[in-house]
């Protein structure tokens, strides 16, 4: 979700709101789970320690964190609260600290409303331990844990593991399972006894649905076809096509919950247990606006393509040969998204970026 | 010290090192005080909590913080350490997190060397409470606490309170004393019983010396004369000259220690006590290099002016009328620093930016 405000400055406030709407809806969907987790905490002798892992600029979780602070202050008026937002060092911490202190266009600041609340940032990867052992009460994260710690192999005929050949797919799958174990072991170490974990992660649900694959069109298949066309049209080389792959993997529901229910798993043995897990869909706000007639086909195509340009372009850019100039790279990316725009405009029906997440709750015994 | 790397990219590595040398020397000068404070801590049942207030990108305190972590790990090998760097939201937290994780050109990362060490950033002003009550063990800060929380009045005939008329000076002085009380009360609230505070702050020493006023030339007098010349030459307006003032004040040694020794002072009453206070000088590294012949006059003038352009230009820019274009503002600033360059080149002897600090140690009873 980094830098999602780039390239969209000319699309107006409605677009900005719709961009936030999906991720924010996912986070708001977590609220009952998070508040229930908060109520179930057993340790109250220290300040409440909450963390948002992979928080980007903190904007989409402001509403949730305000609810958390509010509930804590209702239950324990004198208990201080700390909220630590983590992401990679190149995240926009300046916007994060401003958003939390001042609020955003749509969300109020909880710092203004409640006293004795302290906010921090961490630039440490969630593949490492970010907090001292047993110091965290509530670990929250949304739409972050599909990013792998490393790319296990080339995907020869596709740009995402969802379309990889069997052997490649298995390497991505194995990497994702190892990574998920690492993530959970670190969170388990951080959580105090009785501490809770609530996460919404992109998943492959039991119907085989995943982000951008819920209807007639498949987002990653379309990107792959267009990227291959650019190769066929000699805009990019064979090597560039082959070297392009998202460093991410969508795990199944079973893969997500396995470490928390299998007694032989080191995560289970570390004390982290499954409380609940349920996959759900949050409908694409652009698709909804188009269906309702608030966007015409041209507007829909423009906004739809722009909303994923911000998080997909890094991957396509990284696939391009290092010797190309920045201008050259930009021109290729412009062409890719121009073609996607035409694809959508030619047949707008069926394009949607529905968000398929597993809503998972865990507890440290 | 924000963004001090701007505008200096063409001056080479030697300049970069000299820029860091002064502030870093001040911080390294604190090391024996900080390590002694660390040894005097009495609470060891929680992770050691250390903070660097007004840390900018954390580069100049890396050496000190490495020593702190090393000493703590020697004394308590299994005790986790947290280091929280605070600054305003617009500080460069990305560079901070990278510097701490990867080290800088001259300093190693302590995160690479020691395990169970956790680093955070805070974008909360040190005029507010940044940590929960009684949670902090060691509060460190260097060269930050001369920034006032607000500008109390216009300085009609000068650009810094060191040259203000009596009534204006008194308003700045009163603001600085109020602000220092606020700063200390917040640190006192944050510190655990037995916790220690070590700060190096710009001061007016008992000989009347302060930053840039230790020899034949006075940095702020020179800036004032040049800014007034620009007004006389109708480059800037009367209003712009009048409205320009650094939002800072240099306190005397007595003003610094008063709240920590006066039993009627709320800071003393909150439990914060003076351990030691000593003003000392760290010599201007540019002046030293010039005297030793490693810089010729032209190089000295260039580097000397560039080193304070980064932290002075914000103030001069803020004094300019809002209706001016950015190009216009840039041209005026270029002219100001060009004139300062000529001033130094005409008579290089006597220009120095010696750093006069009060090295202050306090303890929370």
């Amino acid at each position: 979700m980094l830098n999602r405000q780039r390239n969209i400055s000319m699309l107006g406030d409605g677009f900005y709101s719709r961009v936030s709407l999906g991720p924010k809806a996912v986070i708001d969907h977590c609220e009952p789970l998070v508040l229930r987790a908060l109520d179930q905490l057993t340790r109250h002798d220290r300040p409440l320690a909450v963390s948002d892992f992979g928080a980007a600029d903190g904007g989409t979780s402001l509403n949730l964190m305000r609810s958390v602070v509010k509930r804590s202050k209702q239950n324990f008026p004198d208990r201080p609260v700390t909220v630590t937002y983590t992401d990679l060092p190149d995240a926009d911490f300046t916007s994060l600290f401003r958003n939390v202190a001042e609020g955003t266009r749509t969300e109020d600041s909880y710092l203004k409303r409640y006293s004795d609340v302290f906010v921090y940032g961490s630039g440490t990867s969630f593949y490492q331990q970010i907090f001292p052992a047993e110091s965290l009460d509530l670990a929250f994260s949304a739409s972050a844990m599909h990013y792998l710690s490393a790319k296990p192999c080339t995907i020869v005929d596709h740009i995402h593991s969802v379309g990889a050949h069997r052997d490649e797919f298995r390497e991505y799958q194995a990497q994702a399972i190892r990574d998920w174990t690492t993530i959970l072991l670190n969170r388990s170490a951080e959580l105090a006894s009785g501490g809770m974990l609530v996460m919404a992660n992109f998943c492959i649900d039991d119907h085989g649905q995943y982000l951008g694959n819920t209807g007639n069109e498949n987002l990653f298949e379309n990107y792959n076809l267009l990227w291959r066309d650019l190769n066929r049209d000699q805009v990019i080389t064979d090597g560039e096509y082959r070297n392009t792959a998202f460093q991410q993997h969508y795990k199944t529901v079973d893969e997500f919950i396995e470490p928390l229910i299998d007694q032989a798993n080191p995560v289970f043995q570390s004390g982290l247990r499954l409380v609940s897990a349920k996959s759900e869909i949050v409908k694409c706000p652009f698709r909804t606006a188009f269906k309702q007639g608030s966007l015409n086909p041209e507007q829909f195509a423009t906004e739809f393509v722009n909303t994923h340009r911000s998080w997909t372009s890094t991957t396509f850019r990284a696939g391009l040969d290092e010797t190309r100039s920045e201008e050259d790279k930009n021109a290729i990316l412009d062409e890719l998204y121009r073609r996607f725009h035409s694809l959508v405009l030619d047949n707008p029906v069926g394009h949607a970026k529905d968000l398929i997440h597993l809503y998972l709750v865990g507890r440290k015994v």
Side-chain angles (χ1 to χ4, degrees), chain A:
Chain A
M1 296 301 303
L2 298 181
N3 300 318
R4 65 160 185 273
Q5 285 182 259
R6 279 190 197 157
N7 305 316
I8 65 171
S9 52
M10 289 160 65
L11 291 165
D13 275 12
F15 174 69
Y16 180 87
S17 299
R18 269 188 293 275
V19 165
S20 306
L21 221 54
K24 186 178 172 307
V26 169
I27 291 176
D28 288 344
H29 198 72
C30 295
E31 189 173 307
L33 299 175
V34 169
L35 293 182
R36 198 176 313 140
L38 190 64
D39 290 343
Q40 289 170 349
L41 294 175
T42 50
R43 191 200 75 170
H44 308 293
D45 59 332
R46 296 186 281 188
L48 176 72
V50 180
S51 181
D52 182 354
F53 293 88
D57 69 5
T60 45
S61 70
L62 263 188
N63 182 53
L64 174 72
M65 288 302 163
R66 190 176 59 242
S67 298
V68 167
V69 170
K70 180 182 179 185
R71 179 71 68 103
S72 179
K73 293 290 175 187
Q74 282 170 343
N75 295 345
F76 304 95
D78 299 330
R79 187 182 191 191
V81 178
T82 69
V83 185
T84 306
Y85 294 86
T86 90
D87 212 306
L88 293 176
D90 58 359
D92 185 354
F93 287 95
T94 293
S95 293
L96 167 71
F97 290 131
R98 286 219 184 100
N99 286 343
V100 176
E102 299 160 21
T104 62
R105 303 191 205 191
T106 54
E107 299 300 324
D108 289 341
S109 157
Y110 55 85
L111 283 184
K112 282 187 182 161
R113 192 175 302 186
Y114 301 99
S115 60
D116 241 10
V117 182
F118 306 96
V119 166
Y120 310 100
S122 161
T124 304
S125 156
F126 50 61
Y127 284 109
Q128 296 173 48
Q129 190 178 326
I130 300 176
F131 299 92
E134 297 174 28
S135 66
L136 195 60
D137 296 299
L138 184 59
F140 173 76
S141 182
S143 309
M145 302 298 172
H146 56 302
Y147 286 107
L148 301 178
S149 64
K151 210 185 279 184
C153 64
T154 304
I155 301 178
V156 174
D157 275 339
H158 213 278
I159 50 85
H160 197 286
S161 71
V162 295
H165 287 308
R166 177 176 291 201
D167 287 351
E168 294 164 351
F169 183 88
R170 287 194 172 155
E171 286 209 53
Y172 270 75
Q173 185 181 41
Q175 177 79 51
I177 289 170
R178 278 196 305 275
D179 280 355
W180 180 232
T181 304
T182 303
I183 289 166
L184 289 176
L185 282 175
N186 280 311
R187 301 300 80 77
S188 185
E190 293 161 352
L191 283 169
S193 173
M196 303 289 293
L197 172 147
V198 181
M199 287 187 177
N201 287 315
F202 288 120
C203 75
I204 301 180
D205 73 9
D206 292 340
H207 308 290
Q209 295 184 116
Y210 53 83
L211 178 78
N213 177 37
T214 53
N216 309 330
E217 302 280 347
N218 181 313
L219 184 73
F220 292 112
E221 291 302 333
N222 282 329
Y223 267 119
N224 183 50
L225 291 174
L226 294 172
W227 198 237
R228 185 179 281 161
D229 285 350
L230 288 175
N231 177 212
R232 184 202 58 203
D233 298 345
Q234 300 187 336
V235 176
I236 64 169
T237 67
D238 294 353
E240 288 174 327
Y241 171 74
R242 215 168 33 238
N243 283 325
T244 305
F246 284 85
Q247 189 172 317
Q248 40 177 259
H249 185 77
Y250 296 151
K251 290 181 287 297
T252 64
V253 176
D254 284 345
E255 286 163 355
F256 269 113
I257 65 175
E258 175 83 5
L260 301 159
I261 57 171
D262 173 11
Q263 298 187 13
N265 193 292
V267 173
F268 186 96
Q269 290 173 356
S270 77
L272 203 56
R273 300 282 188 276
L274 182 69
V275 173
S276 66
K278 191 177 179 193
S279 66
E280 291 186 65
I281 185 167
V282 166
K283 287 288 185 182
C284 174
F286 298 95
R287 171 95 196 127
T288 305
F290 175 57
K291 275 175 72 180
Q292 291 169 345
S294 5
L295 295 177
N296 65 33
E298 167 63 34
Q299 291 167 326
F300 171 62
T302 301
E303 292 203 6
F304 183 72
V305 172
N306 270 287
T307 185
H308 31 85
R309 178 167 186 153
S310 57
W311 63 270
T312 56
S313 62
T314 321
T315 295
F316 290 110
R317 185 181 293 273
L320 297 174
D321 199 280
E322 283 180 7
T323 59
R324 288 191 190 269
S325 69
E326 285 308 299
E327 291 69 29
D328 196 10
K329 289 180 182 176
N330 290 339
I332 292 170
L333 293 187
D334 285 345
E335 177 63 13
L336 170 67
Y337 294 106
R338 197 195 57 70
R339 290 185 181 200
F340 205 141
H341 182 271
S342 298
L343 189 77
V344 177
L345 198 54
D346 284 351
N347 181 22
V349 178
H351 291 279
K353 200 185 135 196
D354 296 332
L355 301 161
I356 310 286
H357 282 77
L358 183 69
Y359 295 82
L360 183 142
V361 180
R363 185 168 200 272
K364 176 82 176 290
V365 295

